Amino acid sequence: MVEKKVAALSLFQRDRKLHEKWEYIEDPTYSRSIGSHVCITCSKFDYSSQASRGSILCCNCHQKLIWHGQHLTHSCEQYQEKVILGTHKKLNQKS
């Protein structure tokens, strides 16, 4: 028996009109971040791409839009690291 796995759609993907009601994240909700803890690496980060509007970036946790470019430089206190499932290589592993 083949099991069909369907990824759960984010809130943003389920209701495409929702982004029209959302406002943009403003300071002090999130601030400039140094390192890899930025919105794009957060598990709550999501985006939609539309030909007429380009990419729309959002935070499902705050239910707000993210300004272009700030997803690479900002994060908030509710940052949650993405969990990557799969096989990880161990360096210097001895048999």
Side-chain angles (χ1 to χ4, degrees):
M1 176 188 236
V2 176
E3 186 178 326
K4 196 178 213 182
K5 293 185 180 182
V6 178
L9 293 177
S10 71
L11 179 64
F12 191 65
Q13 291 169 325
R14 279 184 264 147
D15 187 359
R16 292 188 181 266
K17 292 183 181 181
L18 189 59
H19 72 271
E20 293 174 4
K21 298 177 185 176
W22 285 5
E23 297 176 2
Y24 281 90
I25 292 178
E26 296 292 334
D27 294 331
T29 302
Y30 75 137
S31 57
R32 195 158 186 80
S33 178
I34 297 173
S36 62
H37 288 182
V38 291
C39 291
I40 197 169
T41 63
C42 180
S43 65
K44 301 300 179 184
F45 173 79
D46 202 357
Y47 70 95
S48 175
S49 184
Q50 299 174 351
S52 61
R53 292 187 175 187
S55 295
I56 300 170
L57 313 172
C58 75
C59 174
N60 285 320
C61 182
H62 292 289
Q63 295 187 356
K64 292 191 176 187
L65 300 174
I66 300 172
W67 295 102
H68 283 273
Q70 290 188 348
H71 65 295
L72 301 171
T73 59
H74 287 69
S75 69
C76 75
E77 68 283 348
Q78 296 179 1
Y79 174 87
Q80 293 180 6
E81 191 170 329
K82 287 185 181 178
V83 177
I84 300 172
L85 302 174
T87 307
H88 297 285
K89 286 186 176 180
K90 291 184 179 180
L91 297 176
N92 300 325
Q93 182 179 8
K94 295 183 180 181
S95 305

